[in-house]
Amino acid sequence: MATIIVDNKSYTVDERQNLLAACLGHGLNVPYFCWHPAMGSVGACRQCAVKQFKDDRDQSGRLVMSCMTPATNGTRISIDDPEAKAFRASVIEWLMVNHPHDCPVCDEGGECHLQDMTVMTGHVYRRYRFPKRTHRNQSLGPFIRHEMNRCIQCYRCIRFYRDYAGGRDLNVFGSHDALYFGREQDGTLENEFSGNLVEVCPTGVFTDKTFFHHYTRKWDLQSAQSICPHCSLGCNTTVSERYGIVRRIANRFNSQVNGYFLCDRGRFGYEYVNSDKRIKRALVRPERDRAKPAKPEGVPQVLEMAGDRLRHARGIIGIGSPRASLEANVALRSLVGPQRFFQGVDEQEHQLISTILSILRTGPVPSASIRDAEQSDAVFVLGADLLNDASRLALALLQSIRQQPMERVDELKIPRWDEAAVRNAVQDRRGPLFIAGYQHTWFHEYATDTYFAAPDDIARLGFAVAGTIGQGAPSVPDLTGEVRELAQRIGDALTHAERPLIIAGTGSGSQATIEAAANVAWALHHQGKQPRLSFVLPECNSAGLALLGGGSLNGAFESIRRGQADTVIVLENDLYRRADQAKVDAFLDTAQTVIVIDSLEHPTAAHADVLLPAATYSESDGTLVNQEGRAQRFYQVFVPDGDVTESWRWLRDLARAKSQEVDGLTGVATWGNLDDAVSATAAAAPELARIGEVAPSARFRVVGQKVPRQSDRCSGRTSLISHLTVHEPPPPVDPDSPLGFTMEGYRGPLPSPLISQFWAPGWNSIQAVNKYQDEVGGPLRDEMPGVRLIEPVGTKAPHWFTAMPRAFQPSSREWLLLPLPAVFGGEELSNQSPAIAERISPPFLSLHPSDGARLNLEDHITIDLALQGTTYRLAVHLESSTPVGTAGISLVPELSGMRAPAWVDLFEAIQTERTRRVA
């Protein structure tokens, strides 16, 4: 630690920081533009100037850029020195020379870092009276609006997009003061993290186009903390609404999870909440008459009819969901009983996740957070397509490849925050990143080595790597020389690393790949290393659902087929995405009563005898468990209209309707609010015992006050409904959380899960997060980043996995059909968002060119392909990275019911070849 003197006051700081970060960490106001805590310093904007003095006798000093000056012990500076203040005001003045006077109509208005810094420097009058420089704006796709005239040339956008996120289609053109930040020509930004430009840009050059379509002033938004439901990583978000419409998603800082950034699916996939396909009314179908459509009825009548059917049922089973909250799944389990609760996933997925849980429960290697992944100095990815299945984790690995080259930076005594000097020293050096998979993406360009093969061969490579590390791990005897050399290189790199990371997942459907990843991690542990494991799971609560236990869908189907039950309750799950259509049809037709609780229309909901409208994540409170086993809380943003309510409340009401008793209620029927649901969930499984620690209870108050969801600049309750009445109704009551649907309440320091918006006097933009950290870029003050439910229980690895698959052998007539995940189109909820829908690629079949020649198929033609009882029209992509003997099929909405991996006779399945090329 070091001591610096700022305006004659002493502060203790981390000597590894620069002066700007050190001052901001102590709550001092120093304006800046180009610096970003995740991207370091380049000294481009000159806005953070301060006066530095040699010692206490130096009366003149010199101007320095605080972002480029180390916080060494004894450093003496002044922020308030007149010369420094005048210099900073002059910088703002020349930055504003060409900036338009459009704050009242700018999407960034009221949350603009440029506005904040202009006020902070005291620049209030524009002397420039000549024509401004102007630019033509570009069309950058469905996510981002472009207004180049607002640019102040801070270079943040390019540094994030190209240097941090690996994008290549956004650049800077021109020189001096005639710079243009954009694409070579109009077109959609291709990078999966382009939406972060909205928050990275300190002005309104890049703004959220989806927000623009239903824009409202930032201070009138009602917001709450949430968790992204679109993959298993559990990124933290802030959801904002007005007039019952979700308007936008913003990143919410969590030092252990997503940090400062989100992927585009997480940022722009929210509009399914506003979809016309939302279920808003409770519907009921006449008993034993499925020819008639379900009709809306009052909630009491629907519950009465549903309760009557439940009372007379021969047996009731419940099908849970990996996208429903823990509390909702526990409520269903309580209603039907643990023996009749099924997880709502197919047998293969059920087995894979069970294996992963067993590895994390019994093994000595902990699971990795996204933060752990960023700090890893050697990474081995086995079979997982991170860019499409877990994008934010892929972004973390782009930072991990810088860890090992940083040793050279430290040798040269270059501060790690000095980004320009660091990149000059590192050049093209990258740390070890080995990727084994079967689908090529641009992410592979950053790998040290890549290996494209069928899942069995990927698993064999993993087992071979574990064998080269030694310590008793079984080896693979019949490898080719090339693969053996690759395994040796990977093993050597992992062994020489201090923080190696092994990543696998369920996407390929390979049990052996998961077991091989465990062997590699355990072998490294035997070597005295500190490895981490990361398993990518299919959905946002896959881990939480697995912790509850329960059978797979096959067990549910068998219960109905054998007559052990005749009534089924389906919780937030479209079964047609989980199993073959014929099986699901038979299951639903055999059941006497089908009760579906969900938020969106889908084929399973169309078969419901009773359909109950569920609240989405922005309309409810609950807990999700991400892929590392971290439980996190999400909160309701607004009260939905219609009959919509939380799934667990529907299940509680069904339990009460079934019992017909006022006294003597048990289980879920006794739940009154979320605290009751959390308590019951904590008792449902040993690993869930600590979920009450995730966030404060609904009883939490500070000086007797709740925490407001609205900003203190909100236009007020009366104006919200002025088109209906001038009277001010009382705000809705929230019994489930410490948050209030109002602008009144406590606004001081809070536990981090309750911070609905980052704001401080003079800091209206997202940069205000600095004011909530003791050290800029570090954890939030009193941060509660979630509770890790699964930790290693021992120091010794269990028995090695030894069931190695044989080498993959292509068939003469059949191809192994492999699923190809898609970041846009591969997830059920985000597909309903118009902006995401624009980015969904047409369905395609990927083949190796030699297989295409065998089938007489040319690249980019379309074919009709009959698979699993359905005919699909697909484009043909001939890719050299596709393993010979396999066929990759894109998991876009048109193919959501496709079951893969599976063997398919393509000679027979290809019904028609079309010579028309795909554009």
Side-chain angles (χ1 to χ4, degrees):
M1 302 299 286
T3 299
I4 64 172
I5 298 93
V6 182
D7 290 318
N8 298 317
K9 292 184 180 180
S10 296
Y11 298 91
T12 301
V13 300
D14 186 342
E15 60 188 2
R16 295 171 298 179
Q17 292 182 321
N18 57 46
L19 287 175
L20 175 59
C23 290
L24 291 174
H26 280 281
L28 303 174
N29 288 335
V30 181
Y32 63 88
F33 289 120
C34 65
W35 175 82
H36 188 283
M39 296 187 290
S41 305
V42 292
C45 70
R46 323 306 288 173
Q47 186 59 63
C48 64
V50 296
K51 178 70 73 71
Q52 182 176 15
F53 302 93
K54 294 180 181 179
D55 50 40
D56 55 359
R57 293 171 295 180
D58 184 0
Q59 298 299 310
S60 56
R62 66 189 182 98
L63 289 176
V64 299
M65 302 306 117
S66 59
C67 75
M68 300 298 293
T69 307
T72 54
N73 191 47
T75 298
R76 183 179 293 270
I77 62 171
S78 173
I79 299 172
D80 295 332
D81 180 84
E83 185 182 0
K85 292 174 71 174
F87 181 87
R88 295 195 298 264
S90 71
V91 171
I92 282 285
E93 184 172 26
W94 58 255
L95 286 177
M96 296 295 287
V97 161
N98 289 299
H99 195 82
H101 279 163
D102 67 344
C103 292
V105 297
C106 176
D107 286 6
E108 198 74 0
E111 207 176 64
C112 177
H113 188 61
L114 176 60
Q115 284 180 331
D116 290 344
M117 299 300 98
T118 301
V119 172
M120 189 178 294
T121 57
H123 175 70
V124 296
Y125 182 76
R126 186 177 303 211
R127 295 181 292 172
Y128 185 75
R129 291 290 179 270
F130 303 98
K132 299 177 188 292
R133 176 198 63 213
T134 58
H135 297 283
R136 184 186 74 83
N137 301 322
Q138 290 185 321
S139 174
L140 298 178
F143 297 157
I144 302 294
R145 292 186 74 227
H146 189 228
E147 179 52 74
M148 186 57 207
N149 291 328
R150 298 171 182 153
C151 183
I152 60 170
Q153 303 176 9
C154 70
Y155 282 84
R156 263 192 179 192
C157 58
I158 296 303
R159 291 174 56 215
F160 170 78
Y161 196 88
R162 297 180 67 86
D163 298 343
Y164 194 95
R168 285 294 173 264
D169 59 319
L170 185 74
N171 213 333
V172 55
F173 305 92
S175 62
H176 193 48
D177 65 341
L179 295 178
Y180 190 90
F181 294 85
R183 299 181 85 251
E184 183 182 9
Q185 59 186 358
D186 287 26
T188 298
L189 289 173
E190 298 170 359
N191 189 267
E192 289 80 358
F193 311 100
S194 64
N196 292 291
L197 294 174
V198 172
E199 294 179 14
V200 166
C201 177
T203 71
V205 177
F206 301 100
T207 54
D208 185 339
K209 185 178 281 189
T210 67
F211 183 39
F212 169 76
H213 292 319
H214 37 228
Y215 183 77
T216 190
R217 285 299 183 188
K218 314 293 178 65
W219 53 82
D220 285 335
L221 292 170
Q222 181 168 261
S223 304
Q225 314 80 284
S226 195
I227 305 299
C228 177
H230 302 306
C231 83
S232 65
L233 296 181
C235 293
N236 288 214
T237 62
T238 298
V239 182
S240 300
E241 71 83 40
R242 185 169 168 84
Y243 296 125
I245 298 173
V246 176
R247 307 286 176 150
R248 71 167 183 182
I249 296 290
N251 181 75
R252 188 168 181 279
F253 183 87
N254 183 320
S255 65
Q256 298 304 307
V257 189
N258 48 296
Y260 290 95
F261 305 118
L262 294 174
C263 77
D264 286 353
R265 183 164 76 185
R267 186 180 295 274
F268 301 112
Y270 67 91
E271 287 193 278
Y272 79 91
V273 178
N274 309 325
S275 172
D276 293 337
K277 295 182 179 180
R278 284 295 305 278
I279 303 167
K280 292 295 186 75
R281 295 292 308 276
L283 306 177
V284 66
R285 194 191 309 271
E287 192 169 4
R288 297 183 180 84
D289 193 354
R290 289 188 175 166
K292 294 182 179 180
K295 294 183 178 181
E297 294 281 356
V299 170
Q301 290 77 21
V302 171
L303 289 173
E304 182 180 354
M305 287 184 277
D308 181 67
R309 297 186 188 189
L310 292 174
R311 282 192 301 276
H312 293 91
R314 186 167 63 251
I316 308 169
I317 62 171
I319 296 178
S321 170
R323 63 174 168 87
S325 70
L326 267 178
E327 291 80 5
N329 279 293
V330 170
L332 178 58
R333 186 173 178 258
S334 174
L335 175 59
V336 302
Q339 302 305 315
R340 293 176 177 265
F341 175 76
F342 299 90
Q343 290 187 12
V345 298
D346 63 33
E347 186 65 36
Q348 180 187 73
E349 183 177 319
H350 183 270
Q351 179 60 41
L352 294 177
I353 297 177
S354 296
T355 300
I356 289 171
L357 274 185
S358 175
I359 290 168
L360 296 178
R361 281 168 166 162
T362 62
V365 178
S367 59
S369 67
I370 296 178
R371 176 66 175 169
D372 292 331
E374 287 183 352
Q375 297 300 313
S376 299
D377 54 356
V379 182
F380 182 26
V381 182
L382 269 167
D385 184 351
L386 299 184
L387 196 62
N388 288 293
D389 263 345
S391 303
R392 184 59 185 83
L393 183 55
L395 184 62
L397 296 193
L398 289 178
Q399 316 322 309
S400 75
I401 59 178
R402 300 186 63 189
Q403 296 302 315
Q404 202 170 94
M406 281 294 184
E407 296 174 3
R408 173 61 176 162
V409 172
D410 295 338
E411 290 173 3
L412 296 172
K413 301 188 183 306
I414 298 172
R416 292 195 175 197
W417 48 258
D418 191 346
E419 183 66 12
V422 166
R423 290 197 174 273
N424 188 48
V426 170
Q427 297 291 324
D428 294 328
R429 298 183 185 92
R430 293 173 184 162
L433 171 60
F434 301 95
I435 304 177
Y438 53 84
Q439 179 183 14
H440 183 272
T441 66
W442 62 262
F443 184 61
H444 288 81
E445 298 170 11
Y446 291 86
T448 307
D449 267 312
T450 59
Y451 178 65
F452 295 100
D456 282 352
D457 287 341
I458 292 172
R460 287 165 59 83
L461 173 64
F463 282 115
V465 170
T468 64
I469 296 172
Q471 298 295 330
S475 59
V476 184
D478 53 342
L479 290 174
T480 65
E482 183 180 357
V483 175
R484 189 175 301 280
E485 290 176 6
L486 174 60
Q488 188 65 55
R489 289 198 302 274
I490 298 173
D492 290 344
L494 294 174
T495 304
H496 288 94
E498 293 298 322
R499 300 174 303 279
L501 173 64
I502 316 301
I503 301 176
T506 62
S508 67
S510 171
Q511 174 92 2
T513 299
I514 292 169
E515 294 173 350
N519 272 16
V520 175
W522 294 343
L524 289 167
H525 178 77
H526 278 302
Q527 291 277 24
K529 301 297 178 180
Q530 297 180 339
R532 295 270 176 162
L533 271 167
S534 182
F535 291 109
V536 178
L537 303 182
E539 298 185 54
C540 62
N541 202 26
S542 292
L545 180 63
L547 288 173
L548 282 178
S552 67
L553 265 182
N554 287 349
F557 293 167
E558 283 297 299
S559 293
I560 294 295
R561 187 182 67 82
R562 293 178 178 178
Q564 297 168 344
D566 62 355
T567 297
V568 57
I569 302 175
V570 182
L571 172 65
E572 298 185 39
N573 207 332
D574 181 8
L575 305 184
Y576 287 93
R577 296 177 62 90
R578 314 279 182 185
D580 295 338
Q581 179 178 344
K583 287 185 178 180
V584 180
D585 283 343
F587 170 69
L588 296 176
D589 290 342
T590 304
Q592 293 295 309
T593 301
V594 176
I595 299 175
V596 176
I597 304 172
D598 215 333
S599 57
L600 287 170
E601 298 172 356
H602 51 65
T604 303
H607 285 76
D609 298 298
V610 178
L611 181 59
L612 303 175
T616 63
Y617 73 106
S618 60
E619 299 160 336
S620 59
D621 309 87
T623 309
L624 301 176
V625 181
N626 75 351
Q627 38 71 248
E628 63 163 312
R630 186 184 299 273
Q632 302 181 98
R633 185 69 43 79
F634 61 92
Y635 287 104
Q636 183 178 16
V637 186
F638 66 102
V639 178
D641 58 3
D643 299 334
V644 177
T645 192
E646 295 92 336
S647 293
W648 68 261
R649 277 198 161 89
W650 280 123
L651 290 160
R652 177 201 63 186
D653 293 343
L654 287 173
R656 291 176 177 177
K658 176 177 177 287
S659 69
Q660 275 192 329
E661 296 179 6
V662 178
D663 300 320
L665 295 175
T666 60
V668 64
T670 64
W671 295 5
N673 64 6
L674 185 70
D675 284 354
D676 296 335
V678 169
S679 297
T681 302
E687 285 98 343
L688 301 178
R690 296 181 57 210
I691 72 160
E693 304 171 21
V694 170
S697 74
R699 299 183 300 277
F700 179 88
R701 300 289 187 277
V702 182
V703 294
Q705 300 179 80
K706 280 197 162 194
V707 179
R709 286 177 169 91
Q710 300 170 1
S711 75
D712 55 4
R713 300 181 293 159
C714 186
S715 297
R717 291 188 293 267
T718 304
S719 64
L720 288 172
I721 59 168
S722 59
H723 61 298
L724 300 175
T725 176
V726 296
H727 299 289
E728 181 180 330
V733 176
D734 183 358
D736 296 323
S737 79
L739 306 179
F741 295 103
T742 177
M743 60 190 292
E744 293 90 9
Y746 179 76
R747 295 191 180 275
L750 290 165
S752 63
L754 300 182
I755 301 172
S756 59
Q757 52 208 318
F758 293 108
W759 180 88
W763 297 79
N764 298 285
S765 76
I766 193 65
Q767 309 298 322
V769 71
N770 297 335
K771 297 295 185 179
Y772 292 76
Q773 298 165 318
D774 287 325
E775 180 178 317
V776 175
L780 298 176
R781 201 171 292 118
D782 299 321
E783 185 174 67
M784 298 172 66
V787 175
R788 283 172 59 100
L789 303 178
I790 309 172
E791 295 289 2
V793 295
T795 58
K796 293 184 178 180
H799 296 297
W800 300 104
F801 290 108
T802 58
M804 300 180 195
R806 295 180 179 178
F808 176 75
Q809 295 295 331
S811 170
S812 59
R813 287 193 59 86
E814 292 187 318
W815 278 257
L816 179 61
L817 194 65
L818 296 174
L820 301 181
V823 63
F824 305 123
E827 190 269 331
E828 181 179 5
L829 301 179
S830 61
N831 293 344
Q832 302 301 320
S833 298
I836 296 290
E838 285 191 45
R839 294 293 309 274
I840 297 176
S841 300
F844 65 88
L845 184 75
S846 178
L847 293 166
H848 191 273
S850 63
D851 288 328
R854 286 178 59 199
L855 293 163
N856 294 319
L857 298 178
E858 297 179 10
D859 196 15
H860 295 301
I861 66 168
T862 58
I863 59 172
D864 288 335
L865 190 67
L867 292 174
Q868 300 170 3
T870 305
T871 300
Y872 303 97
R873 179 161 295 182
L874 308 173
V876 173
H877 291 181
L878 300 182
E879 301 282 352
S880 59
S881 60
T882 302
V884 175
T886 72
I889 191 159
S890 59
L891 297 182
V892 293
E894 297 92 328
L895 303 171
S896 60
M898 179 68 60
R899 316 309 305 154
W903 285 94
V904 176
D905 184 343
L906 289 182
F907 286 108
E908 181 179 333
I910 297 174
Q911 296 182 336
T912 307
E913 179 181 339
R914 303 178 182 275
T915 57
R916 178 176 59 83
R917 287 184 172 270
V918 178

